[in-house]
Amino acid sequence: MACKSRLLAALLILILMTGLAGCQSSTTRSTIDFRDTVDAGVFQSDQAGDPEVEKPLHIAVCPTLSQKSTIEAYRLIAEHIGARLGRETILLERKSYAEINVLLANGGADVAFLASGAYISYTGLEDIVPLVTQIRFGLPYYHSYIIVSADSDLYSLDDLRGKTFAFTDPLSFSGYYVPTHMLKQIGEKPETFFKSTIFTYGHEKALQAVANRVVDAAAIGSHVHADSLAKNDGLADRVRIVAVSEKSGNGPVVVRTELGEAQIQALKEIFMTMHEEPGLQDALKNLLVDAYVETSPDLYEFQRQIIREFGTRE
């Protein structure tokens, strides 16, 4: 009987270890499971008020860069926000932007880091407003790049007919809407134009997929390509850009209007001074963020035009 109990315990441990493979873990921080949507961590500042009086601030993220470094960056930002507000903060990580939009729509998230496509296509019941916009590589906007392997014989969008293609996220503007729009301009659709398609749920993963010839081509944000060149990791050198979109506003941080004007203004001040915080320099660098600035509606006009062609999607 004891032997059987030990066997069952060993099997349970093996299952748990297998389920957590590839996810970041720590003896002092919560574990993140990408297969299920779970809380990534709870952070409470020393000044946090009584949770019976003020509920925790829920912050939702969907890392599309390197998961290991970005989730730690978001943790530090959540801690900083909690300390500045004197309020408990809960960081929620989700695999896709659709899940983030559902959280916002259902009131499950108060603050969210969104891609521009997810922001423009949001149709939830809960009202949201853009809080700040990211400045990346000195700019508040980016481009969508269609990339192929550098040593391939593919040099244009039309050359990708019958090839394999990687999108990033169904609500990613640069990683889904733009390449689909480009195909529409030549009277084509992804399902009939490409041999097959996949979603990588990450721009770096899409870049790696092309560089390593897992797929023939992919759509990525220009900031990911620029970051690869800056890091000199060799990935950008192994791909070629065959199409470039018009400029698009960087993804905003959004808040639910239910938070109230005072809390929204306090959050805006926190974000717009983050780049001045010594303890957040590495965190912002890992997110490819120079600073956060006030949003301008004009930044998202190109996205609005394109997404109107598709209709709103969740």
Side-chain angles (χ1 to χ4, degrees):
M1 185 69 177
C3 180
K4 184 176 180 181
S5 297
R6 286 195 297 271
L7 178 60
L8 288 173
L11 286 173
L12 179 59
I13 292 172
L14 178 61
I15 290 170
L16 287 172
M17 290 178 66
T18 302
L20 294 175
C23 299
Q24 183 182 11
S25 62
S26 170
T27 57
T28 58
R29 298 189 186 277
S30 301
T31 299
I32 304 156
D33 188 338
F34 285 102
R35 298 167 306 157
D36 300 313
T37 52
V38 298
D39 293 354
V42 179
F43 311 104
Q44 183 168 346
S45 67
D46 293 336
Q47 300 82 21
D50 185 347
E52 300 266 332
V53 176
E54 189 172 38
K55 69 176 184 176
L57 187 75
H58 291 75
I59 303 172
V61 301
C62 174
T64 58
L65 302 173
S66 172
Q67 188 273 336
K68 184 177 180 180
S69 61
T70 56
I71 192 58
E72 180 60 23
Y74 285 126
R75 288 185 194 277
L76 290 173
I77 287 175
E79 289 177 333
H80 176 70
I81 291 172
R84 287 283 302 273
L85 291 179
R87 182 175 180 178
E88 184 180 54
T89 56
I90 297 179
L91 182 64
L92 306 169
E93 183 180 20
R94 296 296 184 264
K95 180 181 178 181
S96 69
Y97 284 116
E99 293 174 276
I100 299 294
N101 276 8
V102 169
L103 276 177
L104 287 168
N106 295 335
D110 303 300
V111 180
F113 291 75
L114 287 184
S116 55
Y119 163 58
I120 298 300
S121 63
Y122 176 79
T123 57
L125 299 177
E126 297 286 350
D127 289 337
I128 64 170
V129 293
L131 185 71
V132 288
T133 297
Q134 307 165 76
I135 296 295
R136 283 176 158 168
F137 296 96
L139 301 170
Y141 59 83
Y142 67 101
H143 300 271
S144 176
Y145 287 168
I146 307 300
I147 58 171
V148 300
S149 177
D151 58 0
S152 72
D153 58 356
L154 308 172
Y155 294 92
S156 68
L157 184 65
D158 194 60
D159 289 340
L160 303 186
R161 190 183 305 275
K163 304 299 182 182
T164 55
F165 192 88
F167 295 110
T168 54
D169 184 286
L171 288 183
S172 170
F173 187 74
S174 59
Y176 179 77
Y177 285 111
V178 168
T180 304
H181 168 72
M182 287 180 173
L183 289 178
K184 185 177 180 181
Q185 296 298 99
I186 59 174
E188 297 287 354
K189 297 180 179 180
E191 55 267 31
T192 54
F193 185 76
F194 298 119
K195 178 182 179 181
S196 63
T197 61
I198 61 170
F199 283 96
T200 63
Y201 293 98
H203 288 268
E204 279 190 343
K205 292 178 182 177
L207 175 59
Q208 291 167 356
V210 175
N212 295 324
R213 287 186 165 277
V214 176
V215 293
D216 297 312
I220 64 170
S222 58
H223 57 284
V224 176
H225 187 271
D227 182 52
S228 176
L229 289 174
K231 292 188 299 188
N232 196 28
D233 60 13
L235 291 175
D237 297 327
R238 288 153 56 190
V239 303
R240 183 192 312 119
I241 302 167
V242 297
V244 180
S245 75
E246 293 183 33
K247 65 182 182 181
S248 312
N250 288 335
V253 178
V254 303
V255 295
R256 290 200 298 122
T257 55
E258 187 183 69
L259 283 179
E261 188 62 26
Q263 193 86 152
I264 290 173
Q265 288 302 316
L267 282 166
K268 181 178 290 187
E269 171 65 19
I270 291 170
F271 273 96
M272 292 180 67
T273 56
M274 274 186 189
H275 63 284
E276 300 171 358
E277 298 288 338
L280 293 180
Q281 298 300 309
D282 288 342
L284 294 178
K285 183 178 179 180
N286 285 334
L287 296 176
L288 307 186
V289 174
D290 301 338
Y292 289 102
V293 298
E294 201 152 2
T295 57
S296 169
D298 295 342
L299 281 175
Y300 302 105
E301 189 51 41
F302 177 54
Q303 284 100 319
R304 290 190 180 93
Q305 291 175 10
I306 301 304
I307 291 177
R308 274 196 293 265
E309 295 180 5
F310 292 79
T312 53
R313 305 168 62 237
E314 284 291 349

